[in-house]
Amino acid sequence: MSKKGMMVILSAPSGCGKDTVFREISKIRNDVCESISATTRNPRNGEIDGVSYYFKTVDEFKKMIENSSFLEYVCYNGCYYGTPAEPVRNIINSGKICFLIIEREGAQKVMKSNPDAVSIFLLPPDLDTLKKRLIKRNTETEDAISNRLEIAKEEIKCSDLFDYVVVNNELKRAVYEINEILDNELKKRNS
Ligand code: 5GP
């Protein structure tokens, strides 16, 4: 019997280190892939179209909505973000683990439409640490950072809706815990 793939939703407030955690996991496992989202926000320095995101105009994004191209999409912090459905299906059908690294509202939509998905919420050690991380990233205005912190407070309230909650206090520890979750979930599905 061929090995089954699975969908993993990794959600966390912006600045919690979801991308870093995924990067570390992909260094130690060769069965994980990341879904590349589409967004209407402007690229940041160093971001590459088709690698970091598919950068779209609002019109292009709306066309994709009309064509039912998204597994989920949201308007977050004034911009659209969405998960193209087909690549996710292809990754899972190939027997791999497809990570959706998305904010809470989109995560909840996917949890509803795909009850088989494993959902993980990454928590910052505290809001002060999160604020410092957002400031250190130096990619956002003060207003945008305050807005992201307000969104973060709301997102954290919903963390108990997820299958697993992992605190990203120490990167190595968080990666270890998520790696264990993946192994256990795969064992359940393939036994
Ligand atoms: P950023 O602008 O910092 O790249 O992303 C802002 C937030 O949107 C982050 O929490 C990120 O995980 C989330 N995000 C990225 N892509 C998607 C997506 O396709 N759908 C949803 N719902 N959120 C996304």
Side-chain angles (χ1 to χ4, degrees), residues 18 37 41 44 53 72 74 81-83 101-103 148:
K18 322 186 258 297
S37 296
R41 90 148 157 72
R44 295 186 187 126
Y53 280 104
E72 61 74 38
V74 294
Y81 293 80
T83 306
I101 305 178
I102 60 180
E103 54 67 66
R148 280 180 188 249

Side-chain angles (χ1 to χ4, degrees), residues 10 12-15 18-19 35-39 41 44 47 53 72-74 76 81-84 101-107 137 140 148 155:
L10 180 62
S14 176
K18 322 186 258 297
D19 294 311
S35 148
I36 300 172
S37 296
T39 183
R41 90 148 157 72
R44 295 186 187 126
E47 285 185 328
Y53 280 104
E72 61 74 38
Y73 69 91
V74 294
Y76 172 95
Y81 293 80
T83 306
I101 305 178
I102 60 180
E103 54 67 66
R104 189 258 319 161
E105 190 189 338
R137 205 156 74 171
E140 231 90 25
R148 280 180 188 249
E155 289 186 317

Side-chain angles (χ1 to χ4, degrees), residues 147-183:
N147 200 24
R148 280 180 188 249
L149 278 173
E150 285 313 306
I151 298 172
K153 284 183 200 163
E154 290 308 307
E155 289 186 317
I156 289 168
K157 284 184 196 159
C158 298
S159 58
D160 55 357
L161 299 172
F162 286 69
D163 297 327
Y164 300 94
V165 176
V166 172
V167 180
N168 189 13
N169 192 2
E170 194 201 335
L171 178 64
K172 240 170 131 180
R173 177 83 214 162
V175 169
Y176 173 84
E177 283 180 31
I178 294 176
N179 194 38
E180 291 278 290
I181 292 170
L182 299 181
D183 282 342

Side-chain angles (χ1 to χ4, degrees), residues 12-37:
S14 176
C16 262
K18 322 186 258 297
D19 294 311
T20 311
V21 165
F22 175 76
R23 215 176 305 128
E24 291 304 308
I25 289 171
S26 63
K27 283 184 195 162
I28 55 172
R29 307 183 66 107
N30 58 13
D31 58 353
V32 294
C33 285
E34 181 184 0
S35 148
I36 300 172
S37 296

